[in-house]
Structure formats: C-alpha cells, structure tokens
Amino acid sequence: METLTPDEIERYRRHILLPEIGGTGQQKMKGARVLVIGAGGLGTPVLEYLAAAGIGTIGIIDDDLVSLSNLQRQVIHDTGTIGEMKTRSAREAIARLNPHVRVVDFEERFSLEWASRNLSRFDLLIDGSDNFDTRYAAADAAELAKIPLVTGAVGRFDGSVTVLKPYETGPDGAPNPTYRDLFPEKPPEGLIPSCAETGIVGALTGVIGTLMAMEAIKLIVGIGDPLVGRLMLYDSLVARFDIIKYKRRTARAAAE
C-alpha cells in the first residue's frame, strides 16, 4: 500500500474524511495505474479529475494535435498549446494541477497490437475515443488483459457511460456482458456522423467525462455499484438520466 505524504494528506483531506474512501481508499488511488485513451472532449475531464483525486500513475494515449476548434470543450488545453501534441499539453496541465501524479504519455493511436505490448502496465482502462474502431479495440484489449473498462460516448446533446468487466461473473453467477453484447456490430461507415460534422455542446463532454471519472474512482477504491451491465444515458436538452440494463447474449454465453 502506498504511503501518503503530509502534503498529500492535506491535499486529499476531503476524500479522507469520507468513511467510504478514507486513508486506505486514498492510498489505493495513489497506487492505481490508469490508462486514458484520448486527451479530447471526454478525456479532458477524466484526466483532470483523476489527477486531482490523486491517481498515482496516469497513462495518456493520443496521436492528435491541439487545434483551436478543440478549445470549446477540451479544457485541459488552452490557446497557448495550439499545435502541440495533446499528450504533451495534457501532461503539462496535470503537472501544474498535481505534482504527485506520474504521467506516461504515448503519442500514437490505440490499437490491439499496441495494447498487447503496453496494457499490462495498467490496471484500469478508460476509453474517451470518438470512433468505433478504437472502442471495439479497447473493449477487446481490456477483456484480454482482464482489467475493467470505463467507456463513454457523446453526440450533439446526449451521451452515455458504461463499465465492462466481462471476465467476471455477476451476483447471479452469469458472466458479465461484453461490449459486443451492447453493440454487436460496428455501424456502417458514415452512418453516425462525427461531432466535426454535426457539432456538439462543449459542456456535455464535461458531464459524461466526469461520470466516467467517478466510475473509475469507484472501481479503484472498491465502493458503490459500478455501471456493469448498465448503460447510463443522458439527454441534456431535457435534463434526464435513464438506465438501460443489458446482459451477456445467450448464444455467446453458450458458445463460451
């Protein structure tokens, strides 16, 4: 168990006061190794809140540069970092926020091949990507590595969050569902337009990304009821949250 310094005890005092977290939970966060895919709209609040919370090691993988159009929602970056790699910009922002956090950045795109070489260094994966190829790769990689995956998505005014632990069984003894139980196949190319084509309200990414960070903290500390087998949906225009439950598909379960 990681030891907290006097500075960290003061920094995280509001966490330590919570019986559900306490000193032990804060030590778990200090010892945690979390990889975040994407330092964009969803990755921004995830990175900021996990760094502020005291996650000991945060990995960031992203192959993109900061552009002016990012700044409406990707608030970990600023005007002065336009043109920089997003990983570098995010790493520098985290260093200013919390010098106790170790950041490992990868200036490349996440893939199954990359995961086979690097994912074993982490014990939690958070997917803030904006495309289905990466989402499916993240789900497959996390399942192979047997680590939890927190995944979210946004579009225009709505978003969703879920947690995947398909290598474990639920309270009923049945295997937990996979990403493909929720989304069996990738949609045809061009069917779902990107935010660059349709637009997106910036604050929405903050809502969904913060929910993703909260799920990560619950998983790390071991508290509450993570969104395993549940898809949380948020409609910002009517300020409504809904939950859809999903299970392992019978045919897949039987085949396994």
Side-chain angles (χ1 to χ4, degrees), residues 144-155:
L144 285 170
K146 296 185 177 181
I147 63 172
L149 169 66
V150 180
T151 183
V154 288

Side-chain angles (χ1 to χ4, degrees), residues 16-133:
I16 295 170
L17 287 171
L18 295 167
E20 294 85 352
I21 297 179
T24 300
Q26 193 62 53
Q27 287 175 295
K28 289 180 180 178
M29 284 194 269
K30 183 174 181 177
R33 301 168 299 164
V34 178
L35 176 66
V36 180
I37 302 174
L42 292 175
T44 281
V46 169
L47 291 168
E48 290 183 318
Y49 273 102
L50 293 189
I55 301 304
T57 301
I58 297 177
I60 311 170
I61 180 166
D62 197 313
D63 66 346
D64 199 10
L65 299 172
V66 179
S67 66
L68 182 60
S69 63
N70 296 151
L71 303 186
Q72 160 256 17
R73 62 200 178 282
Q74 300 177 21
V75 295
I76 202 168
H77 313 298
D78 57 50
T79 305
T81 64
I82 292 173
E84 285 187 13
M85 291 297 299
K86 287 184 179 180
T87 50
R88 177 181 175 183
S89 172
R91 171 165 43 83
E92 292 172 346
I94 289 171
R96 292 190 295 270
L97 176 62
N98 189 349
H100 299 287
V101 176
R102 174 175 175 258
V103 176
V104 184
D105 54 329
F106 305 93
E107 296 179 354
E108 52 192 298
R109 182 175 290 271
F110 184 90
S111 67
L112 276 173
E113 194 276 331
W114 181 92
S116 69
R117 292 183 282 107
N118 296 281
L119 195 53
S120 60
R121 300 166 58 181
F122 301 94
D123 42 43
L124 175 65
L125 180 60
I126 302 179
D127 181 17
S129 65
D130 61 359
N131 65 88
F132 279 96
D133 285 340

Side-chain angles (χ1 to χ4, degrees), residues 200-252:
I200 188 167
V201 63
L204 171 67
T205 62
V207 174
I208 300 301
T210 303
L211 289 169
M212 293 167 70
M214 188 67 233
E215 290 300 300
I217 289 171
K218 287 160 58 181
L219 289 163
I220 292 165
V221 179
I223 58 174
D225 185 12
L227 287 168
V228 177
R230 295 181 294 150
L231 180 68
M232 176 180 283
L233 303 171
Y234 173 61
D235 183 338
S236 67
L237 290 180
V238 294
R240 185 178 68 211
F241 285 94
D242 294 297
I243 295 285
I244 295 176
K245 294 183 179 180
Y246 62 100
K247 297 181 179 181
R248 180 73 68 102
R249 291 173 182 264
T250 305
R252 177 187 171 98

